[in-house]
Amino acid sequence: MTVTAPKTDAVLLAASDLARSVLEEVAEPATVGAHLGMDLLEERLGMHWFECTSPGYRGWRWGVSVARVSRAKVATVCETNLLPGPDAVLAPEWLPYADRLAPGDLGAGDVLPFRHDDPNLEAGFEATGEEDVDQMAFFELGLGRPRVLSAEGREVAASRWYAGDNGPTAEIATKATERCTTCGYFLPMAGALRATFGVCANEWSPSDGRVVSLDHGCGAHSETDMDHPEPPPIGEPIVDEFAVDVEPAERAAQAGTVTDETATNEQSVDEQSVDEQSVDEPSADEPSADEPGELPAAELDEKPAEAPAEESHGSDDPVTD
């Protein structure tokens, strides 16, 4: 089957001004932009496209369909449209409320609608009509729930868990040397999924408190260890004597002589200052030179001390008692 493209229609192509004038009557003022061309949809039927300059419709286009009857030289406007272009901003496709929440979106306060025909669930037990039998089945199964997982529901959950981050294909599992089935922190599950899954109870593992497959693994396995390399030997400390600054003995002696002379001069200056202060300011304990009967302290220091006189008894004879 050969498909032939419609021929170009000169009458419809020349009707761009007619299409613009019709748009200006129905569109928001000043929102009809430049003419983007015309598409010939069918024989004697075309669509003129105009740019939409409205800020709320970025990427949208105005479309005006025009047509003509056979052998007519005048085009007629059929309808006007505002249609999205390739880069138009579109609202997401509408979904029912029951399908809007995706796995992981449920938060505090969110409630999922009840589904009577959920394929992942089935009745917990079948009622026989006899109260004693039904109660015994209820007690023995330990359910306490009107519905439990069906075979389809278990298969869906198992497939999701096995292909997730806690299955054998996770990156951490491919680099582990041992599997969860031999780990002491592995807790087996009860029920039909017991043969494939369990729960991790190792607080050091990234899967702590999560469902893991038997062939999952991580570096926190209870029975694995790592190589402990021996510390490298450390030799005796080496003292670099060439890094010490050594000064010649003459220079050190000269520096010591200059230091001693400087200290001696400073001591002499200090003693001279003390002497001058003692002369200028007499002490309160010493008598003043202005007081009669007392000599100045300077004269007392210069006068030699006299020897005590011997007692004379007027005779050369010794004194006898």
Side-chain angles (χ1 to χ4, degrees), residues 33-231:
H35 182 254
L36 301 178
M38 188 199 75
D39 294 335
L40 193 61
L41 305 179
E42 297 288 344
E43 186 177 2
R44 297 189 297 274
L45 177 63
M47 177 77 75
H48 284 275
W49 298 103
F50 295 88
E51 180 184 5
C52 180
T53 59
S54 177
Y57 290 89
R58 184 178 58 184
W60 290 59
R61 300 179 299 176
W62 291 105
V64 181
S65 58
V66 292
R68 69 177 181 89
V69 297
S70 178
R71 298 183 181 181
K73 302 299 182 181
V74 179
T76 303
V77 175
C78 300
E79 60 181 3
T80 60
N81 302 278
L82 181 59
L83 302 175
D87 301 330
V89 178
L90 301 177
E93 185 179 358
W94 183 86
L95 292 175
Y97 175 77
D99 300 333
R100 289 182 184 179
L101 287 178
D105 293 343
L106 191 67
D110 296 334
V111 178
L112 291 176
F114 181 78
R115 299 176 63 182
H116 293 276
D117 54 349
D118 192 341
N120 296 324
L121 299 177
E122 62 182 6
F125 66 94
E126 184 178 358
T128 63
E130 298 181 9
E131 184 176 357
D132 296 338
V133 176
D134 293 341
Q135 290 295 333
M136 180 59 66
F138 182 83
F139 175 77
E140 289 294 336
L141 294 176
L143 300 175
R145 299 165 291 170
R147 294 188 296 177
V148 295
L149 275 177
S150 61
E152 181 179 355
R154 288 194 298 269
E155 182 180 356
V156 171
S159 300
R160 183 174 64 253
W161 294 346
Y162 201 77
D165 295 337
N166 298 318
T169 58
E171 182 180 1
I172 192 172
T174 57
K175 296 183 179 180
T177 57
E178 295 291 339
R179 301 303 167 194
C180 293
T181 183
T182 59
C183 182
Y185 290 101
F186 180 80
L187 298 176
M189 295 179 63
L193 299 180
R194 176 189 182 92
T196 310
F197 298 99
V199 179
C200 178
N202 190 349
E203 64 176 336
W204 297 103
S205 173
S207 302
D208 180 34
R210 299 181 180 181
V211 176
V212 293
S213 62
L214 294 177
D215 48 0
H216 183 68
C218 69
H221 195 282
S222 63
E223 308 304 323
T224 59
D225 198 0
M226 60 177 296
D227 297 334
H228 300 278
E230 297 182 358

Side-chain angles (χ1 to χ4, degrees), residues 274-292:
V274 171
D275 294 341
E276 292 177 357
Q277 183 177 3
S278 300
V279 174
D280 296 341
E281 298 180 1
S283 175
D285 298 335
E286 296 178 357
S288 175
D290 298 334
E291 295 180 359

Side-chain angles (χ1 to χ4, degrees), residues 296-311:
E299 293 181 3
L300 290 175
D301 294 339
E302 295 177 359
K303 185 177 180 178
E306 296 180 356
E310 296 181 357
E311 294 182 358

